[in-house]
Amino acid sequence: DLDLLVEHPVRIGRRRAQADRQGLALEHQDSLVIRLEAVAEDIVRHYMGRYEAGSDQVGKAMVVSIDKATAVRMYDLVQKHWAERLATLEAELKTTPELERAPLAETIEFMRTTDMAVVVSQSQNEVADMAELGLDIAKHRKRINEEDLDSKFKDPADPFRLVFVCAMWLTGFDAPSCSTVYLDKPMR
């Protein structure tokens, strides 16, 4: 049922709570989580694949989600898969012959220094609404309010390389350093 996927996060949370109270299972909830996991893993694989291939056009990337809750969830999932990939590379480094270590060490450093952030518009009661969905928007809101993420993302030398959005920065935002857009949102 595609309608559930495009509903407002609060309505989804209420619907889940209602389903839980009624003892109903929403099958597509599980498939949505599985799909988001796969997309997050693909984002990490693709983005780092470009870096590891030696592309001088790696640039920055924007992940566009259907709504705020999905943007925050995708950030969390990409962070998880990023950490897993980093741990795998760090383990490989220990067994890599000395003469072959430099490129792997550079990749590890690139991953360690890469900064990611969620940039979404503010809404009333968003902390409570997101908490109802098991998400923490407060740490993201703090960064949005305290840092000049716009300038950091536009600066090719800044390690802020991955941004997660749903509507902000989609129109009237020019960032030549952004070479990749991962679109996980229906097109109209």
Side-chain angles (χ1 to χ4, degrees):
D1 182 16
L2 185 60
D3 291 342
L4 182 63
L5 298 179
V6 295
E7 277 188 87
H8 189 274
V10 175
R11 287 194 300 268
I12 294 171
R14 287 184 189 131
R15 206 159 165 184
R16 283 182 187 155
Q18 180 183 13
D20 289 343
R21 282 193 301 275
Q22 295 173 351
L24 301 174
L26 295 176
E27 291 178 22
H28 51 283
Q29 278 180 282
D30 292 335
S31 64
L32 175 62
V33 171
I34 292 168
R35 188 186 71 73
L36 291 178
E37 278 277 356
V39 170
E41 188 174 12
D42 285 346
I43 289 169
V44 173
R45 185 182 312 113
H46 177 265
Y47 188 77
M48 287 310 302
R50 292 179 68 197
Y51 179 83
E52 292 164 355
S55 171
D56 58 353
Q57 299 297 318
V58 173
K60 299 187 179 205
M62 181 180 291
V63 180
V64 182
S65 297
I66 192 164
D67 56 36
K68 281 194 256 188
T70 306
V72 172
R73 190 170 281 116
M74 187 59 70
Y75 168 89
D76 292 343
L77 292 170
V78 167
Q79 286 282 323
K80 174 186 144 192
H81 289 285
W82 193 270
E84 289 171 0
R85 176 80 175 248
L86 181 56
T88 299
L89 293 176
E90 289 170 335
E92 283 178 24
L93 185 64
K94 292 176 183 176
T95 61
T96 300
E98 189 66 37
L99 294 174
E100 299 170 20
R101 285 185 176 198
L104 189 53
E106 285 177 25
T107 300
I108 289 169
E109 184 60 21
F110 179 83
M111 290 190 78
R112 284 181 183 157
T113 60
T114 294
D115 185 20
M116 303 177 203
V118 173
V119 176
V120 293
S121 57
Q122 191 165 5
S123 62
Q124 192 172 4
N125 302 321
E126 72 179 357
V127 173
D129 292 345
M130 292 291 181
E132 190 177 319
L133 298 171
L135 301 170
D136 178 14
I137 188 78
K139 64 183 178 184
H140 301 294
R141 180 61 51 213
K142 183 177 183 198
R143 267 196 92 182
I144 294 166
N145 291 337
E146 294 179 2
E147 295 180 41
D148 184 4
L149 295 175
D150 186 304
S151 295
K152 289 177 77 167
F153 193 72
K154 289 178 180 179
D155 179 358
D158 193 285
F160 176 27
R161 298 185 181 108
L162 288 166
V163 65
F164 299 79
V165 303
C166 64
M168 286 186 71
W169 290 10
L170 291 184
T171 56
F173 182 77
D174 184 29
S177 60
C178 183
S179 61
T180 306
V181 175
Y182 298 103
L183 187 61
D184 186 35
K185 184 174 183 166
M187 302 284 290
R188 292 182 196 206

